[in-house]
């Protein structure tokens, strides 16, 4: 759900980030290796899309440090060096996948989703609880057979609540998992999203607020 794009070509980085957000991911972008390491140390990312030729700290060194630290973040190397030898070298460094530039964007999205499924928090293709059916691949949702027209953010929040299986999810965890690093924790973004989601789910109400703790289904 949460992706870091580390790419020194800022226009390309933002294009990749925009496309991944439209596919339902929370995405942060950085343009250097040292910034990538800083963000990876602060946030729990499912996948990092990592350019090898990053300034200040090379992408290879970023990969090495992630592997050495035992990070569960999956690494997708995205680079202009696309020969077989380059792919082998990148995978030997600890990358989970490797794509050369130029690339087809639907394939990139598909590979990021595949890596997310291999993370330490596996997500089944479908979540079905409390009369809600969520297809995490097609990103569709319905309640008692009624299709739900959810925004990408609402879908992500509902998925997190379903994954908790009745447990409480704090507003802080929702911000961490479904929003990017630019989200202001004092804007009430989670509360507003939750209000809209409740309206779309309809009656009887499914989401309850646990005062001082968070939200639960």
């Amino acid at each position: 759900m949460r992706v870091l794009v580390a790419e020194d070509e800022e226009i390309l980085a933002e294009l990749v980030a925009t496309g991944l957000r439209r596919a339902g991911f929370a995405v942060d972008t950085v343009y250097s290796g040292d910034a990538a390491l800083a963000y990876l140390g602060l946030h729990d990312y499912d996948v990092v899309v990592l350019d090898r030729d990053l300034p200040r700290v090379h992408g290879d060194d970023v990969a090495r440090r992630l592997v050495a630290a035992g990070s569960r973040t999956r690494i997708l190397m995205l680079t202009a060096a696309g020969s077989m030898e380059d792919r082998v070298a990148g995978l030997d460094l600890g990358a989970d996948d490797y794509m050369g530039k130029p690339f087809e964007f639907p394939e990139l999205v598909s590979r990021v989703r595949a890596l997310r499924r291999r993370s330490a928090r596996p997500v089944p293709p479908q979540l079905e609880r409390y009369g809600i059916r969520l297809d995490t691949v097609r990103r569709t949702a319905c309640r008692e057979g009624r299709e739900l027209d959810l925004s990408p953010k609402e879908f992500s929040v509902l998925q997190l609540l379903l994954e908790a299986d009745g447990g409480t999810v704090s507003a802080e965890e929702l911000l961490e998992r479904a929003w990017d690093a630019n989200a202001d924790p004092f804007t009430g973004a989670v509360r507003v999203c939750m209000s809209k989601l409740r309206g779309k789910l309809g009656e009887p109400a499914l989401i309850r607020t646990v005062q001082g703790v968070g939200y639960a289904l």
Side-chain angles (χ1 to χ4, degrees), residues 1-175:
M1 282 187 186
R2 189 154 190 186
V3 180
L4 178 65
V5 176
E7 166 62 60
D8 66 331
E9 297 180 34
E10 295 189 21
I11 294 176
L12 176 59
E14 295 307 324
L15 285 173
V16 170
T18 298
L20 289 173
R21 289 184 187 114
R22 287 174 178 167
F25 294 97
V27 186
D28 297 321
T29 54
V30 293
Y31 314 117
S32 64
D34 56 343
L37 289 171
Y39 270 61
L40 288 161
L42 286 172
H43 305 290
D44 185 18
Y45 292 99
D46 296 288
V47 178
V48 55
V49 178
L50 182 65
D51 181 32
R52 287 187 77 174
D53 296 319
L54 290 173
R56 294 199 285 275
V57 177
H58 197 274
D60 290 359
D61 291 324
V62 174
R64 288 191 188 97
R65 294 190 200 184
L66 276 177
V67 172
S71 173
R72 66 162 201 89
T73 300
R74 300 297 183 179
I75 303 170
L76 170 57
M77 280 192 169
L78 184 64
T79 173
S83 70
M84 183 186 69
E85 292 79 8
D86 290 317
R87 289 196 298 273
V88 170
L91 294 170
D92 283 346
L93 285 169
D96 299 280
D97 202 354
Y98 195 106
M99 286 187 71
K101 302 174 186 175
F103 58 90
E104 295 294 333
F105 198 82
E107 182 182 2
L108 174 66
V109 172
S110 178
R111 291 195 184 199
V112 170
R113 282 180 175 154
L115 290 178
R116 200 284 187 204
R117 290 194 293 271
R118 289 165 52 191
S119 71
R121 288 190 292 270
V123 178
Q126 288 198 354
L127 292 167
E128 190 168 359
R129 297 185 182 102
Y130 318 113
I132 297 174
R133 179 179 294 174
L134 211 69
D135 188 319
T136 63
V137 177
R138 295 181 177 86
R139 297 192 63 83
T140 58
C142 63
R143 179 181 183 183
E144 306 293 353
R146 174 176 62 88
E147 288 196 20
L148 302 172
D149 182 19
L150 303 181
S151 71
K153 197 71 66 186
E154 292 159 358
F155 187 98
S156 296
V157 168
L158 182 58
Q159 180 174 333
L160 288 166
L161 292 173
L162 285 168
E163 288 176 10
D165 196 17
T168 302
V169 184
S170 69
E172 291 78 11
E173 183 178 352
L174 290 170
L175 273 173

Side-chain angles (χ1 to χ4, degrees), residues 2 153 157 160-161 167-180 183-194 208-216:
R2 189 154 190 186
K153 197 71 66 186
V157 168
L160 288 166
L161 292 173
T168 302
V169 184
S170 69
E172 291 78 11
E173 183 178 352
L174 290 170
L175 273 173
E176 172 67 22
R177 302 301 308 155
W179 274 262
D180 60 33
D184 184 344
F186 302 107
T187 61
V190 173
R191 178 177 49 80
V192 171
C193 181
M194 202 64 68
R208 55 192 176 90
T209 299
V210 183
Q211 290 297 330
V213 182
Y215 303 92

